[in-house]
Amino acid sequence: MNKQELFENIKKKKSFLCVGLDTDIKKIPEHLLKEEDPIFTFNKAIIDATAPYCIAYKPNLAFYESMGVKGWIAFEKTVEYIKKNYPDQFIIADAKRGDIGNTSAMYARTFFEELNIDSVTVAPYMGEDSVTPFLTYEGKWVILLALTSNKGSHDFQLTEDKEGERLFEKVLRKSQEWANDQNMMYVVGATQGRMFEDIRKIVPNHFLLVPGIGAQGGSLEEVCKYGMTKECGLIVNSSRAIIYADKTENFAKVAGEEAQKVQQQMEKQLAAIL
C-alpha cells in the first residue's frame, strides 16, 4: 500500500485509527479459552467488529511470541484473515527489529516475503546498515522508532549533544538519507504533546505512527493540533482501551462501539483537511 492509497482510505473511512492487537491469553474473555485457537478466535471477532472504523491493525509480536509456536500460528492466521477479508487495511508488524545487516535482512524476509505484511517497526540504534535491508522491498514500509511514549524515553531519546540536538532529532534527520516519506514512517508517542511541533519541523510530510491514545492517556486533540498534515500524516493506535473494553461474551460488540467512538472523534479532526 503506497502513501496515496493510505490517504484515500483515511478519507473514505473518515478515520486514521489503528487497532493494536496486543492479545494476551490471560486477558481475553474466559469463555474463549475452550476454543482450539483462543487467540485467533479473539482477534477474528475484534477485527470483524472494528474494521469499519479503522484503517490499520498492529499486532504486537511479543504477545504472540510469548506463546511459542501456538502464538506464531495465531499471528499468521490473523494476518491472513485481515488480508483476505479486509484487504484495504494497513498491517503493521510491531516487532521493533534491528540488528546487523545480514540479520536485519532475515527479519525483513520474514515480514515482507514470507508474511507479505505492509510494514514493520524497526529500532534505529545500530544505524544505517541495520535499517536499510528493510528498505529494499518495493511497496513496503519501515516505521522507525523516534520518540516513544514510555517513561524511559527520556533516558536516551531526549539527551542532547554539544550543539543542543536531541537524539530523536538526530534519528529523524539522519534517517532521511536512507529513505523518504513514501516508504518510511516514524513512531512518536501520543504523550509527547507539543513535541510534535519540533518533529514536524524536521519531517513535515512523513506519516507518524502514534501509540499512547486511550489507556496511556495521550490526547488525540493535541496530537492532531501539532502533528496533522494536509494528508493527515497520522496513524493513531489504540490497543487496550478497545480490545479489552469488555470481558463478557459481548466483548467484540463493545470493542466495535469503542472503535466507533474514536472514529467519530477523528472525523471531527479530519474536517479541517478533507
Side-chain angles (χ1 to χ4, degrees):
M1 184 179 295
N2 62 36
K3 187 179 180 183
Q4 186 58 37
E5 288 169 339
L6 184 57
F7 183 43
E8 290 300 323
N9 207 26
I10 289 170
K11 289 192 290 185
K12 182 178 75 174
K13 294 278 192 75
K14 295 182 172 60
S15 173
F16 46 99
L17 173 62
C18 172
V19 174
L21 297 173
D22 298 1
T23 308
D24 184 345
I25 191 72
K26 296 182 179 180
K27 291 184 179 180
I28 66 175
E30 284 189 21
H31 72 275
L32 295 178
L33 298 179
K34 65 179 183 290
E35 297 286 338
E36 181 181 352
D37 189 340
I39 294 295
F40 175 65
T41 301
F42 176 83
N43 284 353
K44 179 177 178 293
I46 292 289
I47 291 162
D48 287 340
T50 59
Y53 312 113
C54 66
I55 51 94
Y57 287 101
K58 182 175 73 65
N60 185 320
L61 267 292
F63 290 85
Y64 302 88
E65 291 171 338
S66 69
M67 294 186 63
V69 173
K70 289 186 297 183
W72 190 262
I73 290 171
F75 169 71
E76 290 196 34
K77 286 164 67 176
T78 298
V79 169
E80 283 304 312
Y81 186 78
I82 296 169
K83 287 162 58 178
K84 180 180 178 181
N85 295 280
Y86 305 100
D88 63 341
Q89 294 286 346
F90 187 71
I91 304 176
I92 301 165
D94 191 1
K96 300 179 179 70
R97 299 299 196 248
D99 207 325
I100 59 172
N102 63 336
T103 308
S104 279
M106 293 300 102
Y107 284 138
R109 185 187 297 178
T110 298
F111 295 109
F112 293 153
E113 290 187 36
E114 182 67 23
L115 296 169
N116 195 24
I117 289 174
D118 296 299
S119 63
V120 62
T121 56
V122 176
Y125 185 73
M126 292 181 70
E128 179 181 5
D129 59 318
S130 71
V131 177
T132 50
F134 294 94
L135 293 165
T136 61
Y137 291 84
E138 188 174 351
K140 303 299 184 183
W141 292 82
V142 165
I143 308 181
L144 210 62
L145 299 176
L147 185 58
T148 56
S149 56
N150 61 305
K151 178 183 173 185
S153 64
H154 293 245
D155 291 343
F156 298 116
Q157 296 165 26
L158 297 180
T159 56
E160 298 182 7
D161 63 16
K162 294 177 183 177
E163 284 72 44
E165 184 179 49
R166 291 165 292 187
L167 182 58
F168 79 87
E169 293 172 318
K170 189 181 295 291
V171 168
L172 293 172
R173 289 193 176 95
K174 184 65 179 177
S175 61
Q176 288 182 78
E177 298 174 13
W178 315 332
N180 56 41
D181 62 13
Q182 301 296 318
N183 61 348
M184 183 174 280
M185 304 183 190
Y186 297 97
V187 176
V188 181
T191 56
Q192 297 298 345
R194 291 197 64 165
M195 206 79 79
F196 279 82
E197 279 189 310
D198 296 337
I199 288 162
R200 281 303 185 202
K201 290 173 185 174
I202 304 171
V203 288
N205 299 313
H206 285 70
F207 262 87
L208 307 178
L209 173 61
V210 184
I213 290 291
Q216 294 183 53
S219 165
L220 179 64
E221 290 73 22
E222 261 201 342
V223 168
C224 293
K225 180 177 180 181
Y226 300 116
M228 186 173 279
T229 69
K230 66 181 186 300
E231 296 174 305
C232 184
L234 299 169
I235 299 175
V236 172
N237 181 79
S238 181
S239 302
R240 287 169 285 170
I242 290 176
I243 69 174
Y244 298 134
D246 183 87
K247 293 194 175 182
T248 71
E249 294 191 0
N250 291 322
F251 75 94
K253 179 176 180 291
V254 176
E257 291 168 352
E258 291 300 313
Q260 185 178 27
K261 289 177 188 175
V262 179
Q263 180 272 322
Q264 288 170 345
Q265 295 170 25
M266 291 179 168
E267 184 173 358
K268 292 176 183 177
Q269 298 296 326
L270 284 166
I273 64 166
L274 297 184

